[in-house]
Amino acid sequence: MSQVERPGRHAPTLEEVAEHAGVSRSTASRAINGGLRVSPEAQSAVDRAIVALGYSPNRAARSLVTRRTDSIALVVPEPDERVLSDPYFARTLQGLSAALTDTEIQLVLIIARRDDGTQRTARYLRNQHVDGAVVVSHHRDDSLEEVLAGSRLPCVFVGRPWQSPETIQYVDVDNVLGGRRATEYLVQVGCRRVGTIAGPLDMAAGVDRLAGWREALAAAGLPDHAVARGDFTSSGGAAAMEQLLREHPDVDGVFAASDLMAAGALEVLRAHGRAVPEDVRLIGFDDLGVAASTAPPLTTMSNPVVEMSRVAAEVLLDQVAGRATSHAPRIFGAEVVVRASA
Amino acid sequence: MSQVERPGRHAPTLEEVAEHAGVSRSTASRAINGGLRVSPEAQSAVDRAIVALGYSPNRAARSLVTRRTDSIALVVPEPDERVLSDPYFARTLQGLSAALTDTEIQLVLIIARRDDGTQRTARYLRNQHVDGAVVVSHHRDDSLEEVLAGSRLPCVFVGRPWQSPETIQYVDVDNVLGGRRATEYLVQVGCRRVGTIAGPLDMAAGVDRLAGWREALAAAGLPDHAVARGDFTSSGGAAAMEQLLREHPDVDGVFAASDLMAAGALEVLRAHGRAVPEDVRLIGFDDLGVAASTAPPLTTMSNPVVEMSRVAAEVLLDQVAGRATSHAPRIFGAEVVVRASA
DNA sequence: CTGTTAGCGCATTCAG
DNA sequence: CTGAATGCGCTAACAG
C-alpha cells in the first residue's frame, strides 16, 4: 500500500525491486526492459514491486552499460534573445516535445554561445553525452556541421545545412518555392515594383527565400533591385523597410522573408503614410501567430514548423535506433495564406 | 598534434588519459577534478593528454559515483503552445541559460502534459535524474508542489508556489504591488471607471495582479466590478475585452494582467471604435517586447524575467551545492513604463 | 525461463 | 603527492 517514500531514503534500486519481488536482479531487469523471456508471475511480481517501491531506473547506471543516454539535444547556436523569442523556436520545441512524449527520451537544451561556447558544445556532442542532436537556427559560420560531421553523433537539422546537405540529414520547408509563390502572389494581384526584405544571408532560409523572390520576378519580367536585408527580427524588418522606402520609394509590393520582419515593416509603412495594402502590398512568411494579429493581418506563407520538427525528431530517433532511413531530406510545402495585407 | 579522433573510435576514457600521461587513473582523476594534491608535472601531463585525446569525462560514469547528474530541469506544466510561445518563457530560458553558461551543468526541458504526464514527471523528478528543478508557469492543480515536496529534490519556483510559499523557495515579481501601481497610474491620469482583464486565477500571478488592482481602486474609492478573466493569451485578452465592453460599456481605463492580453484587448477596442488612449486608457504587464510593438505602444509594467530566472538558477545551484541560502523569496519590483496607450 | 558473473567509466577511500 | 582497490546501479552474456 504505502508507496510513500520515507524522506531521506535513497532512490530504490533494481536490487531492492528484485528482492521485493522475490526474483534475481537479471529477471527484474528483463521484466523492466520489455519483459522478454520472463514468466507472467515474475513479470507481475516485478511490476508490483516497482509500484510499491516507486522505482525508476537509474539512468546513469543504465547509460554506462548500454552506452546510450536516452536523451537528445536541441542545439541552438546564438546567444541572445533573438532566436528564443522567435515563435519559430517555440514551435520547434513543441514539435520535438510531441515526438518525444511517448518515449523515455529527455530533451537537453544547448544554447551555444558563438564565441567561447563552440568548443564546449563540440566536446559535449562528440563524447556520447546525448544520443543525437537536432540543430535549429543554423548559421554559415557556427561550425556545427564540421563538429557534427566529425563526430559519429546522429543528427538532424531543421533547415538545410549550409555546406553538406547531401551528407547531413535535414527537414525543411521549400523556401525557394515559398519565396517564389509569395512573390508570384504579389505580382498576380497587381504589384509591379516588388521589393523584398531578405533574411540573414548566412542562413539557408535567408538566401533561399531571396532566391525564390528573384525567380518569380525574373519569370514575370520585373526588376529585382529592391532588396534590403533584415535579420528575422521585427526591428530588423523595420530598418530594412526604411531603407527600401529610401532607395525605392515607388515600391508597391514587399515580400518579407519572415512575419516578424513584415510586422516591423508594417509599422514603418504606416509611419510613412503608406496604406497597406492600398499603397503597398505586404506579404510575410511563417504564419506562426504574429501574422494573424497585426493590423491589418498579414498575408503570409504557411510554415509547418511543428510538423517539421516532429518529423525531425522521428528521423533522429530512427538514426539513433539504427533503423534504416531514407537519407533524402524531408521537404515541406508552403502555401499562401491570404489576409488583408496583400 | 593530431587530436583528430579516428571515426568509429570510442570516446577516450580516463584510463587512456592516464596512460598517455604516464600516471595512474586516480592521479588523472584528481588532476581533472580541481587538481588538489597533484604535482605540477603530473597536472600538466594530464592536461596535455586531455587535449591530445580530446577527452571529456563520461557523465554517466561520473554520475553513478558522485550521485549527481550535473543537470537541472526546467519544468513547464502545460501541454499546448501557449506557454512556449509566450515571451515570458523565452526570457526564462535566457536567464537560466545565462546562469548556467559558466558551469558544466546542462538544462533538461520537461514539458509536462497535464493528463498522463504528471506521474512520469513525478517519478523522473523524484529519482535522482536531475540535481534540481526550476518550475515555471505553475498552476494550482498541477500537483508539482506535492511532487517536489515529497522528493528531496532541490527546487526553485519562478512565480510564487500556490500552497507552500513558506517551504518552497521561489523568485517572483511583486505582482500585487505591480497591479496596484498600474491601476494607480490609470487613476492618476484621470480614469474613474477602471476595469481589469485578469490572468488565470489558478496562477499566483493572476490572483495577485487582480488583488493589486482591487487595492488601488479601494484606496481611490472607486468601484471594482469591471473584471473579466483572460488566460494570458492575446485571444483570451480579446475575448475578455469584448466581455468588459458588453458589461461595462462606460469603462475608461483597463489594466490587463499581461501585455499579450492587452494586445488582444487593443484590437477589440479599435474594432469597437474606442480610441486608445483617448477613449480608453490601457495598461499591460510584462514589457517583454510585445508592448513596444503594438500601435499605439502599450504603457505597461516592467517585469525583470531574465534577471529573475537567472537568480532562480543561482539559488538552485546553491541548494544543490548545499550552500546555505536565505530561505526568503527573492522579490523583484515592477515599474510603470509609460508609452502611448495610457 | 532463470540466476550467476562480469564489467561499463569514474571518484574515492586507504596505504604507501 | 601517488597508486591499488572498491563499488556506484545496471544490462548483457552465459550457463543452468
Side-chain angles (χ1 to χ4, degrees):
Chain A
M1 290 290 105
S2 132
Q3 54 262 59
V4 184
E5 69 295 343
R6 301 95 176 139
R9 260 199 88 225
H10 65 281
T13 113
L14 181 61
E15 186 83 48
E16 294 166 6
V17 171
E19 186 184 356
H20 186 108
V23 299
S24 73
R25 273 219 315 277
S26 357
T27 302
S29 177
R30 280 185 221 108
I32 288 166
N33 299 358
L36 250 60
R37 299 168 26 188
V38 174
S39 67
E41 304 81 51
Q43 179 72 55
S44 70
V46 171
D47 289 343
R48 252 174 292 125
I50 290 176
V51 174
L53 270 41
Y55 172 79
S56 86
N58 180 316
R59 293 172 86 93
R62 177 180 275 179
S63 281
L64 194 54
V65 40
T66 60
R67 298 170 162 293
R68 303 195 8 177
T69 64
D70 289 325
S71 64
I72 65 172
L74 173 58
V75 181
V76 187
E78 205 131 15
D80 50 60
E81 113 209 43
R82 266 199 245 174
V83 182
L84 299 186
S85 57
D86 194 303
Y88 194 95
F89 176 73
R91 301 309 176 100
T92 306
L93 235 37
Q94 218 187 309
L96 294 183
S97 158
L100 263 35
T101 190
D102 289 329
T103 74
E104 290 282 86
I105 295 178
Q106 293 301 325
L107 185 62
V108 175
L109 200 56
I110 299 190
I111 299 172
R113 298 272 170 302
R114 196 68 70 81
D115 36 328
D116 62 304
T118 307
Q119 287 302 322
R120 281 219 339 230
T121 303
R123 278 211 316 275
Y124 187 82
L125 293 178
R126 190 188 305 118
N127 289 54
Q128 244 73 338
H129 294 312
V130 288
D131 296 339
V134 172
V135 175
V136 70
S137 187
H138 167 55
H139 291 250
R140 190 217 303 254
D141 63 350
D142 60 24
S143 68
L144 240 29
E145 294 185 54
E146 296 87 309
V147 166
L148 285 163
S151 79
R152 277 227 148 299
L153 190 73
C155 72
V156 176
F157 278 54
V158 175
R160 180 163 54 80
W162 194 266
Q163 302 152 44
S164 328
E166 329 74 23
T167 59
I168 296 182
Q169 213 164 359
Y170 70 98
V171 301
D172 206 351
V173 68
D174 192 331
N175 286 304
V176 175
L177 186 57
R180 179 144 59 95
R181 293 249 189 280
T183 310
E184 283 170 353
Y185 178 81
L186 291 178
V187 171
Q188 175 194 324
V189 294
C191 300
R192 287 299 169 266
R193 296 171 300 279
V194 181
T196 189
I197 299 177
L201 298 184
D202 62 345
M203 298 184 69
V207 300
D208 286 358
R209 292 174 191 176
L210 177 59
W213 172 79
R214 285 199 202 285
E215 275 186 15
L217 293 183
L222 295 172
D224 64 352
H225 302 313
V227 179
R229 182 176 163 179
D231 59 358
F232 281 159
T233 72
S234 169
S235 59
M241 191 67 237
E242 292 280 6
Q243 176 190 339
L244 231 39
L245 285 176
R246 200 179 327 118
E247 299 177 354
H248 305 273
D250 63 342
V251 67
D252 64 357
V254 172
F255 163 50
S258 85
D259 288 337
L260 242 34
M261 296 199 297
L266 191 56
E267 289 174 48
V268 168
L269 285 168
R270 170 171 34 231
H272 282 259
R274 307 287 187 105
V276 175
E278 294 77 4
D279 303 332
V280 179
R281 291 175 185 273
L282 180 61
I283 186 168
F285 205 117
D286 283 346
D287 196 25
L288 265 28
V290 313
S293 65
T294 56
L298 288 170
T299 292
T300 186
M301 304 299 297
S302 62
N303 192 352
V305 185
V306 176
E307 174 65 4
M308 230 164 56
S309 51
R310 208 177 50 64
V311 169
E314 283 168 4
V315 169
L316 183 64
L317 294 184
D318 281 345
Q319 277 189 36
V320 168
R323 266 172 254 139
T325 282
S326 149
H327 188 282
R330 305 289 207 281
I331 304 299
F332 293 73
E335 308 294 334
V336 176
V337 179
V338 179
R339 296 211 181 83
S341 79
Chain B
M1 288 298 102
S2 134
Q3 56 262 58
V4 185
E5 70 296 343
R6 301 96 175 139
R9 261 201 86 224
H10 66 281
T13 108
L14 181 59
E15 185 84 49
E16 294 166 6
V17 170
E19 185 185 358
H20 186 108
V23 300
S24 73
R25 276 218 316 274
S26 351
T27 301
S29 177
R30 281 187 220 104
I32 287 166
N33 300 357
L36 250 60
R37 300 169 27 190
V38 173
S39 66
E41 304 82 50
Q43 179 72 55
S44 70
V46 171
D47 288 344
R48 252 174 293 126
I50 290 175
V51 175
L53 269 41
Y55 172 80
S56 87
N58 179 315
R59 292 172 88 93
R62 178 178 276 180
S63 281
L64 194 54
V65 40
T66 59
R67 299 173 158 294
R68 302 195 9 178
T69 64
D70 289 325
S71 64
I72 65 171
L74 173 59
V75 181
V76 188
E78 206 131 15
D80 49 59
E81 111 209 46
R82 268 200 244 174
V83 182
L84 299 186
S85 58
D86 195 303
Y88 194 95
F89 176 73
R91 301 309 176 101
T92 306
L93 234 35
Q94 218 186 310
L96 293 183
S97 158
L100 262 35
T101 190
D102 290 329
T103 74
E104 290 282 88
I105 296 179
Q106 294 300 325
L107 185 63
V108 176
L109 199 57
I110 300 190
I111 299 172
R113 298 269 170 304
R114 196 68 71 81
D115 38 328
D116 62 304
T118 307
Q119 287 303 321
R120 281 222 336 233
T121 303
R123 278 212 315 274
Y124 187 83
L125 293 178
R126 189 189 305 117
N127 289 53
Q128 243 74 337
H129 294 312
V130 289
D131 296 339
V134 173
V135 175
V136 70
S137 187
H138 167 55
H139 292 250
R140 189 217 303 253
D141 64 350
D142 60 24
S143 69
L144 241 26
E145 295 184 54
E146 297 86 310
V147 167
L148 285 163
S151 79
R152 278 228 148 298
L153 189 73
C155 72
V156 177
F157 278 54
V158 176
R160 179 163 55 80
W162 193 266
Q163 304 152 43
S164 329
E166 328 74 23
T167 59
I168 296 182
Q169 213 165 359
Y170 69 98
V171 301
D172 207 351
V173 69
D174 192 330
N175 287 305
V176 176
L177 187 56
R180 180 145 59 94
R181 293 249 190 280
T183 310
E184 283 170 354
Y185 178 80
L186 291 178
V187 171
Q188 175 194 324
V189 295
C191 300
R192 288 297 169 268
R193 295 171 301 279
V194 181
T196 189
I197 298 177
L201 299 184
D202 62 346
M203 298 185 70
V207 300
D208 287 358
R209 292 174 191 176
L210 177 59
W213 172 79
R214 287 199 202 285
E215 276 187 15
L217 293 183
L222 295 173
D224 65 351
H225 303 314
V227 179
R229 181 176 165 181
D231 59 358
F232 280 159
T233 72
S234 169
S235 59
M241 191 67 236
E242 293 280 7
Q243 176 189 340
L244 230 39
L245 285 177
R246 199 179 328 118
E247 300 177 354
H248 305 272
D250 62 342
V251 67
D252 65 357
V254 173
F255 164 50
S258 85
D259 288 337
L260 242 33
M261 295 198 298
L266 192 56
E267 289 175 48
V268 168
L269 286 167
R270 171 174 29 230
H272 282 260
R274 307 286 187 107
V276 175
E278 294 78 4
D279 302 332
V280 179
R281 291 175 185 273
L282 181 61
I283 186 167
F285 206 115
D286 283 347
D287 197 25
L288 264 27
V290 312
S293 63
T294 55
L298 288 171
T299 291
T300 186
M301 304 299 296
S302 62
N303 192 351
V305 185
V306 175
E307 175 66 4
M308 232 165 55
S309 51
R310 207 177 51 63
V311 170
E314 284 167 2
V315 169
L316 182 64
L317 293 184
D318 281 345
Q319 278 189 35
V320 169
R323 266 172 253 141
T325 282
S326 148
H327 189 284
R330 306 288 207 283
I331 304 299
F332 292 73
E335 308 294 334
V336 177
V337 179
V338 178
R339 297 212 179 83
S341 78

